[in-house]
Amino acid sequence: MSLWNVTMSDEREGDGDTSVVVETRPKTKRPPLYKVLLLNDDYTPMEFVVHVLERFFGMNHAQAFEVMLTVHKKGIAVVGVFSHEIAETKVTQVMDFARRHQHPLQCTMEKE
Ligand code: TYC
């Protein structure tokens, strides 16, 4: 906390000192967060998507299977929320891994 202390002596009126203390909050803006999204397609095997979610998003098998099924049924799902740098890294890791295995899996990010 920073303090502004303003002291005014009004000698004509003879009031003595008038002190004004104004507290200002420091502006500590938190960095924005980004959602990492996984998109459905017709070709990527379900087991591959489950593996991606375990490997890059730290999910256990049951969680990964559940999230994979959500993407499969709804078309898209948020698989994690991260800082810009971490989100970008996740997207790159997933896209590279999918490409290396010749699957069309798509992963993107958007500001929360
Ligand atoms: N729809 C795919 C299939 O039936 C499975 C799948 C799930 C693909 C999630 C992508 O992000 C995805 N094999």
Side-chain angles (χ1 to χ4, degrees):
M1 289 286 186
S2 57
L3 297 176
W4 284 95
N5 188 321
V6 180
T7 302
M8 300 182 300
S9 298
D10 191 332
E11 280 163 17
R12 281 169 304 155
E13 304 223 341
D15 296 334
D17 289 349
T18 305
S19 292
V20 179
V21 177
V22 180
E23 291 201 17
T24 57
R25 286 172 300 169
K27 290 194 199 113
T28 56
K29 277 193 290 188
R30 287 167 304 172
L33 292 174
Y34 292 79
K35 296 183 281 198
V36 172
L37 302 150
L38 204 59
L39 280 70
N40 188 37
D41 66 73
D42 292 339
Y43 305 102
T44 305
M46 289 186 173
E47 318 80 69
F48 184 81
V49 178
V50 171
H51 180 69
V52 162
L53 293 170
E54 291 171 339
R55 181 171 177 144
F56 298 115
F57 297 92
M59 298 183 194
N60 65 38
H61 193 77
Q63 290 172 325
F65 196 88
E66 195 172 285
V67 172
M68 179 281 296
L69 269 191
T70 301
V71 180
H72 177 70
K73 290 181 199 161
K74 302 204 168 187
I76 193 165
V78 176
V79 297
V81 177
F82 307 98
S83 69
H84 188 272
E85 189 177 358
I86 301 290
E88 217 165 51
T89 300
K90 300 285 180 192
V91 169
T92 300
Q93 286 174 330
V94 172
M95 294 299 282
D96 288 354
F97 192 64
R99 180 187 294 217
R100 278 196 276 133
H101 289 83
Q102 301 191 308
H103 295 311
L105 183 64
Q106 294 293 304
C107 184
T108 59
M109 61 192 269
E110 69 174 35
K111 205 169 172 180
E112 204 177 42

